[in-house]
Amino acid sequence: MKSIINILSIFISSFAMANIHLPAIFADGMVLQRNAEVTIWGNADPREEITLKADFLDKEYKVKTANNATFKITFKTPKEGGPYTISLKGYNEVSLKNVMLGEVWLMSGQSNMEMSAAWGIKDGDVEMAKANYPNIRFFTAGKSAAEFPQKDIIGNWAICTPENAKYFSAVGYFFAQRLHQELGNVPIGIITSAWGGSAAELWTPQYVFDKKPELKEGFKNLQSNENEYYPTKTSVAYNAMIAPINDYKIAGAAWYQGETNTGNASSYESLLSSMITAWRKEKGYEFPFYIIQLASYKGWGDATAQIKNIQRKVAQSVPQSGLVVISDYSMLDDIHPKDKKPVGIRLANLALTDVYQKNTTSKFPIWKSVEFKGNKAILTLDFAEGLHFKNKTSDQFEMAGADKKFVKAKAVIKENQIIIEAKEVKTPVFVRYNWGNEALPDLYNKANLPASVYSNEK
């Protein structure tokens, strides 16, 4: 009897057919990038033939599962539209319903990116009551850490309703709302993968640290601060919350992080630049990357200004990158500024100008160069039309000689240049603007957008 059971078991198992399994990012209500080569992937039996159909495609796509039980199907999406249905058929059939084609953006960072109306934002109840946009969809990644890159991600797609929106990233929501309206109601998909308190090292692939071991050395100061709310090991958030969606096509990404890295600011420039490069390498294309600069906060000392200046430098040196300045919305006694709507709108305006070629008022004054002539420093800015001081004069400029002993400097605007001097400094070498933990900007352009923190120190 036992031998008969064994024979039957072998016979049955030889005909067993594994169901198609898709990662969580592929689900009802999702948004796929329009006008792009997109990929859907998953698992099935080795050598199983998978057929993909969609009512926006004019042909079927077939592929056989590899010997490691994985498959990928790449196809070209048309212009925006929906709702559509996508079906994948092998030994079983999986249908993805209510799929939209539109613009997909990734939002990442720490608590200020994660922060939702449910946390308490300015005018949150009023704004969320209006958040009825059926063609805006959000995927919020669940917090997860892993030692090695994962294949699946925790999370689900949700349609933007007043009930759902209050739990979305507030910055992501206001960004999506602005894009949706300005692009003529094109569907918008926002993937939020953020973790409050997380250092940038958590979001950076391990091979970056293998190539640049000094970055891991710089992280030791933060690793010693064990925390019950977030992990303190390199790469673990990237492995679990970014790597699983590397093949998911996006239009661009936004990064709102840096608070935790005030503890090791010296390595942040190399780290952030390397992280952006690595993310792009893994996706296989140079997508736009926008950095939301930290607001001022009195609890960090000069490290606040250092991180903000590094964010400026990275945004100016890394191709296809940009900076969103928000210091004029600072709450000096709160690490989490409550007014998130201007942040989302400023971010969206940059994307509308750079990515979608819309004529929006979006460009912040950008520090272009510094030149020393005698006892004066001449700072030149781009996007400086209508450059002015908020209070007619400024006390935000400082100057120093080679000794780096900074003193207040007098500043005068002349078209797109600022000429500064200080009688105490005969041979200036260094200049800086808006430096310090409680410094608020006072230099704006015609669009009433503030200039970033600036220092020419290395």
Side-chain angles (χ1 to χ4, degrees), residues 325-429:
V325 181
I326 61 166
S327 289
D328 49 333
Y329 287 98
S330 299
M331 295 177 65
L332 297 178
D333 61 347
D334 194 337
I335 198 173
H336 301 110
K338 298 295 190 291
D339 201 353
K340 297 302 186 192
K341 187 172 185 177
V343 182
I345 289 175
R346 285 179 176 180
L347 174 62
N349 284 344
L350 271 182
L352 286 165
T353 299
D354 294 346
V355 180
Y356 304 106
Q357 290 77 53
K358 297 290 183 179
N359 187 18
T360 64
T361 305
S362 64
K363 293 294 187 178
F364 297 83
I366 294 177
W367 301 100
K368 183 180 180 181
S369 64
V370 58
E371 180 183 5
F372 296 99
K373 288 187 177 180
N375 67 338
K376 293 181 175 63
I378 302 171
L379 293 157
T380 302
L381 296 92
D382 284 333
F383 306 104
E385 183 181 358
L387 202 63
H388 65 280
F389 296 132
K390 182 179 180 180
N391 300 312
K392 295 186 178 179
T393 61
S394 173
D395 63 354
Q396 292 287 317
F397 289 87
E398 299 172 277
M399 178 182 283
D403 59 3
K404 293 189 178 183
K405 293 181 179 179
F406 283 90
V407 297
K408 290 289 185 181
K410 179 182 177 182
V412 177
I413 296 173
K414 187 176 181 180
E415 296 179 344
N416 70 331
Q417 293 184 326
I418 300 174
I419 302 167
I420 70 170
E421 61 180 311
K423 62 182 181 180
E424 301 95 328
V425 183
K426 304 302 181 185
T427 308
V429 177

Side-chain angles (χ1 to χ4, degrees), residues 49-208:
E49 185 174 83
I50 310 298
T51 301
L52 182 145
K53 299 179 182 180
D55 42 15
F56 56 81
L57 296 174
D58 57 9
K59 66 176 183 177
E60 298 178 355
Y61 289 79
K62 295 179 184 289
V63 68
K64 285 195 174 181
T65 307
N67 61 3
N68 64 352
T70 65
F71 68 86
K72 285 185 179 183
I73 302 176
T74 299
F75 54 92
K76 180 76 166 65
T77 56
K79 68 177 184 178
E80 67 277 1
Y84 297 116
T85 298
I86 299 173
S87 70
L88 293 101
K89 187 173 183 180
Y91 297 144
N92 68 313
E93 185 169 2
V94 175
S95 291
L96 304 172
K97 301 179 178 64
N98 195 16
V99 175
M100 308 301 294
L101 303 182
E103 292 297 304
V104 182
W105 283 78
L106 172 64
M107 304 277 151
S108 190
Q110 55 183 111
S111 54
N112 273 302
M113 183 63 90
E114 186 183 0
M115 188 176 179
S116 67
W119 292 27
I121 64 170
K122 183 180 179 182
D123 300 326
D125 290 342
V126 174
E127 293 290 347
M128 294 304 104
K130 300 182 292 184
N132 190 17
Y133 296 96
N135 289 341
I136 294 178
R137 314 288 175 84
F138 277 79
F139 184 95
T140 303
K143 294 182 177 68
S144 182
E147 294 293 325
F148 303 99
Q150 300 298 294
K151 299 297 185 182
D152 204 350
I153 192 169
I154 299 169
N156 60 278
W157 285 96
I159 295 172
C160 184
T161 66
E163 294 75 25
N164 290 334
K166 64 183 178 181
Y167 301 106
F168 298 157
S169 159
V171 171
Y173 166 73
F174 290 119
F175 171 82
Q177 180 195 49
R178 175 76 170 162
L179 247 57
H180 184 58
Q181 293 172 338
E182 292 298 314
L183 294 178
N185 297 322
V186 166
I188 305 295
I190 301 293
I191 302 170
T192 303
S193 187
W195 194 325
S198 58
E201 287 88 347
L202 275 63
W203 299 97
T204 304
Q206 184 57 45
Y207 63 77
V208 171

Side-chain angles (χ1 to χ4, degrees), residues 36-53:
E37 291 277 343
V38 305
T39 300
I40 290 181
W41 66 92
N43 294 87
D45 269 359
R47 307 307 297 163
E48 181 177 351
E49 185 174 83
I50 310 298
T51 301
L52 182 145
K53 299 179 182 180

Side-chain angles (χ1 to χ4, degrees), residues 229-304:
Y229 296 107
Y230 51 85
T232 56
K233 290 185 178 180
T234 57
S235 309
V236 294
Y238 168 81
N239 290 338
M241 299 174 68
I242 298 294
I245 53 172
N246 274 338
D247 285 333
Y248 201 88
K249 194 78 171 188
I250 62 172
W255 176 252
Y256 194 171
Q257 190 276 343
E259 298 92 333
T260 297
N261 284 91
T262 54
N264 63 332
S266 62
S267 61
Y268 192 67
E269 183 175 355
S270 176
L271 174 68
L272 184 54
S273 299
S274 298
M275 189 200 81
I276 297 169
T277 300
W279 282 21
R280 288 172 169 173
K281 175 185 175 183
E282 295 307 313
K283 278 202 171 289
Y285 58 100
E286 195 173 89
F287 55 85
F289 192 98
Y290 292 105
I291 299 166
I292 300 172
Q293 193 180 59
L294 298 187
S296 297
Y297 174 62
K298 65 183 180 182
W300 288 323
D302 274 1
T304 309

